[in-house]
Amino acid sequence: MDHLELDEEQYIQDGDDVIEIPDDGDHPMDEDEDNSDGGGETAGPSRLSAENNSVQDFQSHDGSVFCVACHPTEPLAATGGEDDVGYIWDITDGEIIEKLNGHTDSVTSIAWSADGEMIATGGMDGKIRLWRRVGKESYRIWEFLTELQGPDEVMFLRWHPRGPVLLAGSNDSTLWLWQLPSGNTMQVFSGHTGPVNCGEFTPDGKKIVSACSNNTFIIWDPRSPTPVAKLTADDGRFNLDGITSLAVNSTSTLAVVGGAAGGVRVISLNRGEVITALGGHKEGESIEAIVFADLLGTNTGPGFAITGGTDGRICVWDLSTYKLRTTLQHEDAITSVLVHPSPKPYLIVSGCADGTLRTWDARTGAVVRQHKGHIAPVLSASLGLNGSVVVSAGDDHTALVYTTEPTQDE
């Protein structure tokens, strides 16, 4: 297999600590129904709430919209759905830029490369398909690059933070790593015993962390198929009834994982062990989203972890003390939590199964904006244009664009 062609300093150095630890009935869109002449397909007012305050909608999907990702710099969003297709579209006017077809089952994962030059879609059919930008003058023309195969159903996609390397988690308990644009397989990681629900590159690019439904958490060196450290339910402190979500802090020293039974654990990535448990969610309610935030804007210390669960709670944790800073409350299950980039890292956006999103000031717990328009659960969300907009993906076949700017002086 190919070696990771990235700067050596991005990966684990000698001397770093490593410890071994014992449907609604909709039919798929036909291939000839290609709305590539531009503009979102209008399906009438029934697909939008009467309280809709979005600034743009996209209604070209013929089924639930499962995933959305905003381009790192451009006014573009990409969505994937139950109709087996993805789209790249302009968030300012809803114009379709490119139809991302070729899947034979639902598109459930979508992700831009760190430089925004490539985009990957992952589906329940086990396919991962890639497109890249054509030319250097604009982002309006894209071409199909390659199809990657190997996994069973694709559970998630993540790009390396500094290079053209793509990670995928599979329903068959494996993780896959590819070099792009060649599409060469770099590693196949085997060590989980259930569907790999979540995984991330650490922000420094040196490690991969992954977790599965059978309650196993693994730290990997991207250059080796052998786990660096592993946690399982055999450690009584780590019994989470299956891991559903995880995140890594900005200094790549801590991971926070959440489970199907409402438990949350903090893990040292240097020592490969559980540090503590966080207990702010209702027992039996799944943790569906975890993010880290630098609420103080200092970029020092372990940071703040934000967890969202099916109990409707969003808990903000100060990891310097492991204490709960504040709790935010929705009326239904939390489906996504996002953190604004600098200069407003204290603003977070949450998506909810009640069809709404909210922008919050996580320092005070105040609602900055409420975002309405969906008539079904929000399934995914992504921040764009340096956090000034959020794009949501809905179970109502619609994606909506909202401004996140405060409605009053902060």
Side-chain angles (χ1 to χ4, degrees), residues 4 45 50 85 181 185 216 271 303 346 349-350 361 380:
L4 207 58
V85 298
T185 302
T216 301
R271 301 194 302 273
Y346 50 85
V349 179
S350 54
D361 186 328
S380 179

Side-chain angles (χ1 to χ4, degrees), residues 22-301:
D23 165 331
D24 61 7
D26 291 327
H27 298 288
M29 181 185 291
D30 293 332
E31 278 300 310
D32 58 357
E33 294 182 55
D34 184 356
N35 299 307
S36 57
D37 56 346
E41 178 184 306
T42 302
S46 62
R47 284 169 78 172
L48 297 175
S49 163
E51 298 180 287
N52 175 37
N53 62 358
S54 66
V55 296
Q56 183 60 50
D57 62 79
F58 184 76
Q59 300 191 39
S60 290
H61 280 284
D62 186 25
S64 299
V65 187
F66 290 134
C67 51
V68 59
C70 288
H71 191 276
T73 59
E74 301 298 310
L76 300 175
T79 48
E82 184 184 18
D83 52 9
D84 308 347
V85 298
Y87 292 99
I88 300 173
W89 49 279
D90 189 321
I91 64 175
T92 65
D93 59 12
E95 177 189 358
I96 295 173
I97 305 301
E98 188 71 35
K99 185 177 181 180
L100 311 176
N101 53 22
H103 286 278
T104 57
D105 206 336
S106 298
V107 177
T108 54
S109 303
I110 200 160
W112 301 93
S113 59
D115 60 5
E117 295 293 306
M118 288 183 283
I119 188 167
T121 58
M124 294 179 68
D125 54 7
K127 296 178 181 178
I128 297 169
R129 292 173 61 81
L130 290 108
W131 286 257
R132 63 179 169 189
R133 179 164 72 115
V134 177
K136 298 296 182 183
E137 287 71 34
S138 77
Y139 286 83
R140 312 293 288 189
I141 304 175
W142 296 78
E143 65 179 4
F144 176 70
L145 175 61
T146 190
E147 181 175 293
L148 308 173
Q149 293 184 330
D152 189 8
E153 178 183 337
V154 178
M155 304 301 288
F156 66 86
L157 295 173
R158 294 291 186 273
W159 287 90
H160 191 277
R162 295 186 180 88
V165 173
L166 183 65
L167 176 72
S170 174
N171 191 54
D172 64 7
S173 78
T174 60
L175 278 165
W176 293 70
L177 196 67
W178 296 275
Q179 181 86 48
L180 277 302
S182 68
N184 293 334
T185 302
M186 302 173 66
Q187 296 289 353
V188 180
F189 302 101
S190 299
H192 288 286
T193 57
V196 187
N197 290 330
C198 43
E200 300 285 348
F201 287 101
T202 56
D204 62 8
K206 295 179 181 180
K207 301 173 185 175
I208 292 168
V209 293
S210 59
C212 74
S213 63
N214 279 4
N215 217 77
T216 301
F217 173 88
I218 301 178
I219 304 171
W220 309 90
D221 180 335
R223 301 164 300 183
S224 170
T226 303
V228 173
K230 190 172 185 178
L231 284 166
T232 70
D234 292 340
D235 181 338
R237 298 176 302 163
F238 200 64
N239 189 358
L240 295 167
D241 196 28
I243 299 169
T244 52
S245 53
L246 69 82
V248 180
N249 70 344
S250 62
T251 58
S252 303
T253 56
L254 297 177
V256 172
V257 300
V264 179
R265 301 292 186 269
V266 182
I267 300 168
S268 166
L269 295 183
N270 290 328
R271 301 194 302 273
E273 61 185 34
V274 176
I275 296 175
T276 192
L278 305 176
H281 290 275
K282 292 182 180 178
E283 186 176 351
E285 298 283 355
S286 177
I287 308 302
E288 294 297 304
I290 303 176
V291 292
F292 274 87
D294 178 26
L295 300 185
L296 305 180
T298 60
N299 284 318
T300 60

